[in-house]
Amino acid sequence: MKIWFKYLIGILFGLALTAILPAGNPQVSSILDFTAELFTRFGCYILLPLIFSSALISVFKLADSGILIKTGFWTFIVIVTSSLLLTLTGLLSALVIHLPRIPITAEKVSTVTTLDLPDIIRRIFPYSVFETLHEGSFLLPCFLFAFIMALSCIYDKNISKPLIQLADSISKICYQIMTFFVEILSIGMIAIMTVWTIQFRNVIIGGTFTPVILMLAGNLILVAAAIYPAILHFLFHDPHPYRVLYASLASLFTAFFSGNTNLTLPLIILQSKDSLGIRRRLGGFSNPLFSIFARGGSALVMIISFITIWRSYSSLNLALPDILWVTCTAFLLSFVLGSFPSGGTFFALTVLCTLYSRGFDTGYLLLKPAAPIIGSFAAATDAVTAMYGSYIISIKTQTIQHREARHFI
């Protein structure tokens, strides 16, 4: 049975369970939240050792074969280009389609949200490299440690040979464990889906946020089913671009209903290798970088949300300088959300409103009730971006062995 079908069955069971369980029961909600969190932790349990060992092997092999710079260049280009594309897509859709106003809330904020860049840099470079393996949510310190070690191993291959062999063994073992965890997570999707459905039901009641949700849904479908396949077909001459979308279904489901990029990453790693045929040396390098930096889905959601907030407060249109400022800020904020595997989209929206100021400091409160749902669309868009992006990089670096769709896992 295909992985995506197992996850779909779990989603349908969760949807059915929501209809059976008593609505609004705090004890039931507490049990469901705990179960969903437990499966989320379970899904991320092996992620750090897998990322560290796989990145070490990947960087070493890419450097040894002389394509590390080329791979890094194309990874950078695809991440930046996809983020810019998604930012502009969100901007155009928000400017063309005028959503209804959201009623102004009387809620007041107790603390001001700021982006602490020095703290992020401190977390990337802790006092000890061993602390990078303690970061349960922020993957960049672990990846950077593996990158530095791999480059060091290149200088003396005889001395580093035992370390490379050990890292390769750990990577393969962690991959096997991850495969088992991915299978178990299909059961966990029941709880995750149930929690998401309850949240969605609470948000959709009254219809206040329905137009925003419909616009985000339309953008997700547009990006996943039209823009990315068209780019793959016309720019990279792939005759079957929808194979990538088909291979991404389980990742798409997980990202959308969990809103967690770290939980989605094991599925992306598994599907990119066993379905699309992307070689391990590329997947261990590109997939973590996409998870950390390719958060253009958050930029897309941010711009749509901000313009909706603006039009809820004012009947005037945004001036061109303001549009450019919001676009550039949302684009840049998407690259610093790596320490937020979940909830990063709404956090970035609060920072965007705070930086813009001019009476919009607390404008994000209008969308606070819908924060988990709008985050789902950002996470799903980012998951599809990672799959299409890694596939494009593998074509340009010739690190792929194409497989037929009937052999996908």
Side-chain angles (χ1 to χ4, degrees):
M1 186 183 296
K2 304 293 185 181
I3 287 183
W4 71 267
F5 193 67
K6 295 178 183 178
Y7 277 63
L8 180 60
I9 292 175
I11 290 169
L12 294 177
F13 267 108
L15 190 61
L17 188 61
T18 308
I20 298 173
L21 293 175
N25 189 311
Q27 293 182 338
V28 173
S29 297
S30 177
I31 293 173
L32 288 173
D33 289 339
F34 174 77
T35 306
E37 181 185 0
L38 190 63
F39 274 104
T40 300
R41 290 173 177 266
F42 186 74
C44 300
Y45 189 73
I46 201 68
L47 191 56
L48 273 182
L50 175 66
I51 293 300
F52 176 78
S53 57
S54 298
L56 198 160
I57 292 297
S58 297
V59 174
F60 179 84
K61 290 185 176 180
L62 290 172
D64 189 44
S65 57
I67 60 171
L68 178 60
I69 295 178
K70 181 179 181 180
T71 304
F73 170 78
W74 275 107
T75 302
F76 173 80
I77 291 297
V78 172
I79 288 177
V80 172
T81 303
S82 63
S83 298
L84 180 60
L85 176 63
L86 292 173
T87 303
L88 295 178
T89 301
L91 175 65
L92 291 176
S93 61
L95 292 178
V96 171
I97 302 174
H98 287 245
L99 297 179
R101 293 185 177 185
I102 298 176
I104 306 299
T105 179
E107 182 180 355
K108 294 183 179 180
V109 64
S110 56
T111 57
V112 178
T113 303
T114 58
L115 181 64
D116 194 346
L117 287 177
D119 181 65
I120 294 176
I121 296 174
R122 292 189 194 100
R123 292 173 65 185
I124 297 175
F125 299 100
Y127 286 110
S128 170
V129 293
F130 293 106
E131 292 182 32
T132 62
L133 302 178
H134 293 167
E135 280 280 1
S137 59
F138 195 16
L139 303 179
L140 182 56
C142 176
F143 180 87
L144 183 60
F145 180 29
F147 186 88
I148 294 172
M149 286 196 67
L151 292 183
S152 301
C153 291
I154 289 293
Y155 288 104
D156 196 330
K157 296 179 183 178
N158 291 327
I159 295 177
S160 61
K161 187 176 180 180
L163 175 61
I164 295 300
Q165 291 176 339
L166 176 62
D168 191 37
S169 298
I170 293 175
S171 175
K172 291 178 180 178
I173 292 172
C174 290
Y175 189 86
Q176 293 175 354
I177 297 173
M178 181 199 70
T179 302
F180 171 73
F181 282 5
V182 166
E183 294 285 346
I184 297 299
L185 187 60
S186 61
I187 301 174
M189 286 302 297
I190 298 174
I192 293 173
M193 177 62 186
T194 305
V195 171
W196 185 91
T197 305
I198 293 174
Q199 293 175 334
F200 179 77
R201 187 171 57 193
N202 294 335
V203 168
I204 210 71
I205 289 176
T208 301
F209 304 104
T210 302
V212 178
I213 293 174
L214 289 176
M215 176 177 281
L216 294 177
N219 275 273
L220 175 59
I221 295 172
L222 176 67
V223 169
I227 295 179
Y228 283 159
I231 291 174
L232 195 58
H233 180 70
F234 292 107
L235 295 184
F236 297 94
H237 311 292
D238 191 289
H240 306 290
Y242 285 102
R243 294 187 317 117
V244 181
L245 181 59
Y246 176 59
S248 310
L249 287 178
S251 303
L252 182 62
F253 293 156
T254 304
F256 185 80
F257 294 113
S258 71
N260 192 307
T261 56
N262 283 0
L263 182 63
T264 310
L265 183 55
L267 278 157
I268 292 175
I269 294 172
L270 186 67
Q271 291 176 308
S272 62
K273 178 181 179 294
D274 293 347
S275 291
L276 294 179
I278 297 174
R279 300 185 68 177
R280 192 161 62 104
R281 68 179 61 183
L282 175 64
F285 177 81
S286 65
N287 288 328
L289 290 178
F290 272 99
S291 180
I292 296 167
F293 293 112
R295 305 291 286 273
S298 294
L300 183 151
V301 173
M302 262 189 284
I303 288 189
I304 292 176
S305 300
F306 184 85
I307 294 179
T308 302
I309 292 169
W310 170 278
R311 287 173 175 162
S312 298
Y313 276 97
S314 173
S315 58
L316 300 176
N317 291 324
L318 272 169
L320 181 59
D322 292 326
I323 292 176
L324 294 176
W325 184 90
V326 171
T327 303
C328 293
T329 305
F331 173 71
L332 294 175
L333 283 174
S334 69
F335 294 105
V336 293
L337 298 179
S339 58
F340 297 92
S342 62
T345 303
F346 188 72
F347 169 80
L349 179 62
T350 64
V351 174
L352 182 63
C353 291
T354 303
L355 290 175
Y356 185 77
S357 187
R358 306 182 193 180
F360 291 87
D361 310 55
T362 60
Y364 60 87
L365 293 175
L366 297 185
L367 290 173
K368 184 178 180 181
I373 306 304
I374 64 176
S376 294
F377 291 99
T381 305
D382 293 335
V384 174
T385 300
M387 291 292 288
Y388 273 101
S390 294
Y391 185 76
I392 290 172
I393 296 168
S394 68
I395 293 175
K396 300 304 295 185
T397 56
Q398 298 180 349
T399 52
I400 186 172
Q401 295 177 335
H402 293 280
R403 299 182 180 181
E404 295 181 10
R406 60 191 178 92
H407 293 144
F408 287 5
I409 58 172

